[in-house]
Amino acid sequence: MEEHYTIGALSRAAGVNVETIRYYEKIGLLKTPLRASNSYRYYNHAAVQRLQFIRRGRELGFGIAEIATLLELADHPERPCCEADQLAQTHLRDVEQKIKDLQAMQLVLQQIVTCQSDIAADCKLIETLGSH
Amino acid sequence: MEEHYTIGALSRAAGVNVETIRYYEKIGLLKTPLRASNSYRYYNHAAVQRLQFIRRGRELGFGIAEIATLLELADHPERPCCEADQLAQTHLRDVEQKIKDLQAMQLVLQQIVTCQSDIAADCKLIETLGSH
DNA sequence: CTTGACCCTGTAGTAACTACAGAGTTTATG
DNA sequence: CATAAACTCTGTAGTTACTACAGGGTCAAG
């Protein structure tokens, strides 16, 4: 059970690339790992889980600061989770707003893309952007 | 009709902030304007239109490089606009992909947000991120 | 013993701005 | 007319979350 990982093994296990792991360490999202005599980083299974937690958070669109808060909470299961709820709700609203913004773009772009003209003079896209 | 604008007036007229205008000039998206004797930039109405074109492009989610291409085309109405069509189509696909990604996040977040527990130990968000 | 696959640190680049600092200029007000 | 607010200038650094080297050291296989 006493598995340990080099940074490359951790990378594969958690699905996060090596440079990113070092970056997370630098910004304090991952605590500094043990070092072997050759100064290589060595990680344990807990690090894999922590990194997977981070990756899943990122996949849901949470920012680094938000994930740091969530990790803190995960480390202290006795604390109230209203902060996590708050984060999730705010983030959901952000996501929904982004979807709306993108759908508005989509609508305009769909109208433009039907353009069949040959020259820029009557290209719908150019016309749309240049209209007063 | 011979209106001229300081950078602040241009900013208000086009809805793009002053720092951004100077930034666009630096990266070559706007050509260097005339200068008054006090070294203040002075713009004409064409600059307003050009900047509005850029703003609309950005609002549709186009990148700076893409907008540079579109401006080139707008300046040469005799050229074929297949490049603009191509840009619009590619960009539309990107937007649609982003919408899909965000909708996937939305779905997961909506399930999480229904969480009614009091402590982090059984918070759905933390649980979701930490599940093996 | 050498080749290739790792690992290290540190710096710079990405996108598209935004935010100063520190200075000069112009305009409005008393 | 003085002065203060509002504007302009240049130049640099910060933002987000990484990614991409450069220039080295280390380790395992053949």
Side-chain angles (χ1 to χ4, degrees):
Chain A
M1 266 286 190
E2 180 60 23
E3 282 201 78
H4 56 139
Y5 300 78
T6 62
I7 198 169
L10 174 63
S11 169
R12 284 184 294 276
V16 172
N17 95 37
V18 169
E19 321 268 35
T20 305
I21 295 170
R22 287 196 280 249
Y23 167 71
Y24 286 162
E25 183 186 331
K26 193 166 70 176
I27 63 171
L29 194 60
L30 290 177
K31 57 191 173 196
T32 60
L34 297 173
R35 298 293 184 122
S37 55
N38 54 12
S39 84
Y40 285 16
R41 291 167 178 83
Y42 273 88
Y43 299 93
N44 56 20
H45 188 65
V48 177
Q49 289 186 312
R50 199 168 176 89
L51 195 49
Q52 281 176 338
F53 185 106
I54 295 170
R55 179 175 55 73
R56 293 197 191 97
R58 294 292 298 125
E59 284 169 2
L60 286 177
F62 287 102
I64 297 286
E66 294 166 328
I67 289 173
T69 303
L70 295 172
L71 278 170
E72 262 291 295
L73 278 167
D75 285 344
H76 300 280
E78 77 287 358
R79 293 203 195 151
C81 78
C82 55
E83 201 174 355
D85 286 349
Q86 192 56 51
L87 271 182
Q89 270 174 37
T90 302
H91 184 53
L92 176 57
R93 275 194 291 271
D94 286 357
V95 166
E96 282 167 347
Q97 187 56 54
K98 270 187 195 154
I99 290 173
K100 275 183 199 150
D101 293 348
L102 286 168
Q103 280 171 340
M105 291 182 199
Q106 184 188 24
L107 205 67
V108 178
L109 288 169
Q110 277 169 345
Q111 286 159 6
I112 284 166
V113 156
T114 63
C115 173
Q116 299 298 341
S117 69
D118 276 348
I119 60 166
D122 45 17
C123 172
K124 269 194 192 172
L125 173 52
I126 306 263
E127 198 185 315
T128 302
L129 296 176
S131 65
H132 321 285
Chain B
M1 262 287 189
E2 179 62 24
E3 284 201 78
H4 56 139
Y5 300 79
T6 61
I7 198 167
L10 174 63
S11 167
R12 284 184 294 275
V16 172
N17 94 37
V18 169
E19 321 268 35
T20 304
I21 295 170
R22 285 197 282 250
Y23 167 71
Y24 285 162
E25 183 186 332
K26 194 166 70 174
I27 63 171
L29 193 59
L30 291 176
K31 58 192 173 194
T32 60
L34 297 173
R35 298 293 184 122
S37 56
N38 56 11
S39 84
Y40 284 17
R41 291 167 179 82
Y42 272 88
Y43 300 93
N44 56 18
H45 189 64
V48 178
Q49 290 187 311
R50 199 169 175 86
L51 195 48
Q52 282 176 338
F53 186 104
I54 295 170
R55 179 174 55 72
R56 293 198 191 98
R58 294 290 301 125
E59 284 169 2
L60 286 178
F62 287 102
I64 298 287
E66 293 166 329
I67 290 172
T69 302
L70 295 172
L71 279 169
E72 262 291 295
L73 278 167
D75 285 344
H76 300 280
E78 77 287 359
R79 292 202 194 152
C81 78
C82 57
E83 202 173 354
D85 286 349
Q86 192 55 52
L87 271 182
Q89 268 173 38
T90 302
H91 184 53
L92 175 57
R93 273 195 291 272
D94 286 358
V95 166
E96 283 169 345
Q97 186 56 53
K98 268 186 196 155
I99 291 173
K100 273 184 200 151
D101 292 348
L102 286 167
Q103 280 172 339
M105 291 182 199
Q106 183 189 26
L107 204 68
V108 178
L109 288 168
Q110 277 169 343
Q111 285 161 7
I112 283 166
V113 155
T114 63
C115 174
Q116 298 298 344
S117 69
D118 278 348
I119 60 166
D122 45 16
C123 172
K124 268 195 194 174
L125 173 52
I126 306 261
E127 199 184 314
T128 301
L129 296 176
S131 65
H132 321 285

